[in-house]
Amino acid sequence: MSEEGAMDCEETSQRLPFLLNGSLEPAERDAVRVHLRECEACRGDLKAARGVAEVFGAHLPTSVLVDLAFGAEPAGFDSSLVRAHLDSCAACASDLALLRESRALEAEAPNRATALAARSRSWRPVGLAAALVTAFGAGVVSRAVRDEGRLGASESERSRLESRVGDLESEVRRLGGERERLAGEIDRLEAPRTNVAVAELLPAGRRQRSAAGGPRPDEVRLTSGTDLVVLLLGASSRGVAEAEIRDARGAVVWKGGGLVPGALGSYSVAVPLARFSEGDHSILLRSGSGAPEEFRLRLIRER
Amino acid sequence: MESRPPAPTAGARDADYDAAAAFVRGESRGVVLVDAWIARATAPFRRNLADEWDDVRQEIRIEVLGLLRDGRYRGESSLKTYVWRVAAHTCLDALRRRRRRPPTEPETAAEPLVAPGPTPLDRLVEAERERQLLCVLEAMAPECRELWRHILEGRGYREIAGRLGVAEGTLRVRAHRCRKAAEQKLGNAGEGGSAHE
């Protein structure tokens, strides 16, 4: 470009695609336009550039993609050309995927008005919230289908309601799935716990003897199925107590109150294993009747 | 390629014609049924069409009404499939209209940026033109296609040069060469030759 900003044909020609896509800076754009006003050859070049933009922006016609989605051979297009374009054009491949997704929904759609009405009558409540949603949706469809004579809504209102019914159906299905998941969770929480680890502990100051060759009483070996540890604390104190469990670093694992001794005189705490790390722990038991008592616990994971 | 479903039975076809007639007459059983099909067929396009979705569905209703009223449905497929195809076609056209960047440089001040609707002859010519363009496009080098993809997405030559790691001048020259190659192939294809010459 000359110092005055004027462009020659070569400079203009190179910038034509960027003039067409609107990306030239204002000064460059103006300089190109000035040249085009004065140069017929470059005006012809601009027209040719438009044609080239059409080439590089070409896509498979809508009719071809619809034919493909509906399992038909595209009319007037060589299948190898179609395949080659789909392999290289993300936009067309994405469009075809959308069309196929739409086509897949056709199989689920009712074929007849009677099928639509029957399906709306056969909806079952799935939960309280789902039942309310279902009843509303079923009522809308039933009214729309049965009360033909009394239906005063316009076509657009009917189609709006039908669309709303579709949304409600999806919500019912989602809530049904959620209900199933929550029911499973409740079953799991209410079910008896098995493979529970039990540790009968005496205060640290009182020596506990283990059977010859057996594990130490304050040692709990955890197998892979264990997820709960029951601590039976043989304290000498009585009355309502508080307990605090700390790990080897002194961090509090759990703290709670309201413990009362059982029939055999021990305080009991069931702690989910997720709260424990492997290794040594200390348990401090405090009740109003005496000095705090400390217990020791070692958790070992069996591998 | 998936196999085509069997042609509808005589009984099914009668039911389809009955439903079509009910829709054309504005009877609720026909309207609700066809509207339900349109809602389902257009559901995958809803996010992409965004605020246009309702308008597109109305466009489909009008199109289906016109086709059925003109007797264009002849029972080659079920009515449901027929409506589905119209919906698919209309949705994809709408999607492509949204994507297409309006030209920023009109050829003349008087030329509208959006052309009026095509005639049947226009459609034939357009179909042949589309085929020709695709043939030329498939004959272009991948580097040219990639470069021009950036251009058609509205990027400037400085930005594209940065992305491709080349100097700005080099980028402009490459785009120019690709353009000239495409013009030559387009000229060859237009003269009845092969785009691969």
Side-chain angles (χ1 to χ4, degrees):
Chain A
M1 208 146 60
S2 71
E3 285 185 16
E4 292 79 19
M7 278 197 188
D8 60 23
C9 290
E10 185 183 352
E11 289 166 335
T12 299
S13 184
Q14 287 182 6
R15 285 167 173 77
L16 290 179
F18 306 101
L19 176 72
L20 289 175
N21 79 358
S23 66
L24 286 179
E25 296 292 332
E28 263 186 311
R29 183 191 63 218
D30 292 344
V32 168
R33 283 176 175 168
V34 163
H35 182 89
L36 287 172
R37 272 202 294 272
E38 296 162 359
C39 180
E40 188 179 343
C42 284
R43 286 200 296 275
D45 202 15
L46 176 63
K47 189 173 176 181
R50 287 181 194 275
V52 168
E54 275 191 287
V55 168
F56 287 108
H59 293 287
L60 289 171
T62 301
S63 57
V64 167
L65 292 178
V66 171
D67 281 342
L68 285 175
F70 282 75
E73 282 292 328
F77 272 80
D78 182 59
S79 58
S80 60
L81 175 64
V82 170
R83 267 199 306 277
H85 186 82
L86 284 171
D87 284 344
S88 60
C89 179
C92 285
S94 166
D95 289 346
L96 181 58
L98 271 178
L99 288 169
R100 283 183 168 150
E101 192 183 333
S102 169
R103 174 81 162 112
L105 294 174
E106 186 189 339
E108 300 173 9
N111 285 323
R112 302 285 177 266
T114 51
L116 182 66
R119 191 168 54 78
S120 73
R121 284 193 297 271
S122 72
W123 285 356
R124 290 178 287 110
V126 178
L128 177 59
L132 290 172
V133 165
T134 306
F136 174 74
V140 165
V141 175
S142 296
R143 277 198 300 278
V145 172
R146 288 204 305 267
D147 295 314
E148 185 178 320
R150 287 164 33 197
L151 194 65
S154 64
E155 273 191 36
S156 62
E157 179 66 9
R158 278 197 293 272
S159 66
R160 186 189 69 77
L161 289 171
E162 185 53 32
S163 172
R164 180 77 182 124
V165 166
D167 293 342
L168 291 170
E169 280 184 271
S170 298
E171 188 64 14
V172 165
R173 280 195 292 274
R174 189 191 69 77
L175 287 170
E178 186 66 14
R179 180 184 178 278
E180 293 297 324
R181 188 189 69 76
L182 289 171
E185 194 65 22
I186 291 169
D187 282 345
R188 192 186 68 78
L189 290 169
E190 289 180 344
R193 310 295 285 275
T194 58
N195 300 318
V196 175
V198 181
E200 292 186 71
L201 303 175
L202 293 174
R206 287 160 65 180
R207 294 179 72 83
Q208 292 178 254
R209 288 188 184 171
S210 56
R216 287 167 37 185
D218 62 348
E219 221 171 64
V220 175
R221 292 188 171 267
L222 307 169
T223 58
S224 60
T226 308
D227 63 356
L228 194 68
V229 180
V230 175
L231 307 175
L232 299 174
L233 307 174
S236 52
S237 54
R238 291 288 176 264
V240 178
E242 290 179 347
E244 185 180 280
I245 306 173
R246 289 178 182 265
D247 63 14
R249 292 172 297 142
V252 175
V253 170
W254 177 82
K255 190 174 167 180
L259 278 71
V260 293
L264 299 178
S266 294
Y267 291 87
S268 59
V269 184
V271 185
L273 192 60
R275 287 196 175 251
F276 285 114
S277 51
E278 198 172 353
D280 292 325
H281 295 74
S282 64
I283 302 125
L284 197 64
L285 188 75
R286 291 192 190 89
S287 73
S289 66
E293 293 179 276
E294 187 180 358
F295 302 79
R296 300 274 163 79
L297 172 70
R298 175 173 287 183
L299 294 176
I300 300 170
R301 234 174 248 289
E302 289 200 329
R303 292 180 175 83
Chain B
M1 193 82 71
E2 59 176 276
S3 58
R4 300 187 74 166
T9 61
R13 207 172 300 124
D14 287 344
D16 279 343
Y17 282 130
D18 179 56
F23 178 73
V24 170
R25 288 194 297 265
E27 293 171 15
S28 66
R29 62 186 176 93
V31 170
V32 168
L33 183 64
V34 171
D35 274 358
W37 290 341
I38 291 172
R40 279 182 191 268
T42 58
F45 296 90
R46 185 172 188 173
R47 189 168 59 89
N48 294 25
L49 289 174
D51 53 338
E52 280 186 53
W53 190 60
D54 282 338
D55 289 340
V56 170
R57 289 195 303 161
Q58 183 63 8
E59 200 180 318
I60 296 167
R61 276 188 210 101
I62 293 168
E63 177 79 10
V64 168
L65 182 64
L67 289 168
L68 296 181
R69 189 179 282 159
D70 294 346
R72 302 275 287 278
Y73 171 61
R74 295 193 181 92
E76 309 93 336
S77 66
S78 69
L79 182 62
K80 185 170 69 164
T81 299
Y82 189 79
V83 171
W84 227 271
R85 283 190 71 115
V86 173
H89 216 285
T90 309
C91 282
L92 187 53
D93 279 346
L95 200 59
R96 286 178 156 185
R97 276 197 307 270
R98 276 177 80 93
R99 274 196 217 127
R100 211 171 297 142
R101 294 173 64 86
T104 59
E105 199 72 10
E107 289 194 62
T108 66
E111 182 175 305
L113 290 181
V114 179
T119 65
L121 179 60
D122 289 339
R123 287 199 191 95
L124 272 173
V125 169
E126 179 64 21
E128 176 55 25
R129 172 86 175 150
E130 282 170 339
R131 197 193 62 77
Q132 208 177 67
L133 291 175
L134 280 169
C135 283
V136 172
L137 178 62
E138 293 312 310
M140 296 304 301
E143 307 80 56
C144 286
R145 295 172 68 160
E146 177 64 15
L147 172 49
W148 269 82
R149 184 179 65 78
H150 287 294
I151 294 172
L152 291 177
E153 287 177 1
R155 297 189 178 97
Y157 61 79
R158 289 191 184 91
E159 182 185 346
I160 300 172
R163 281 176 183 242
L164 300 183
V166 299
E168 292 172 13
T170 304
L171 190 284
R172 286 199 305 266
V173 169
R174 278 191 195 175
H176 186 74
R177 283 186 187 149
C178 287
R179 179 160 71 87
K180 291 302 168 186
E183 281 176 23
Q184 186 181 24
K185 290 182 190 299
L186 199 54
N188 291 341
E191 290 164 8
S194 165
H196 293 274
E197 291 168 20

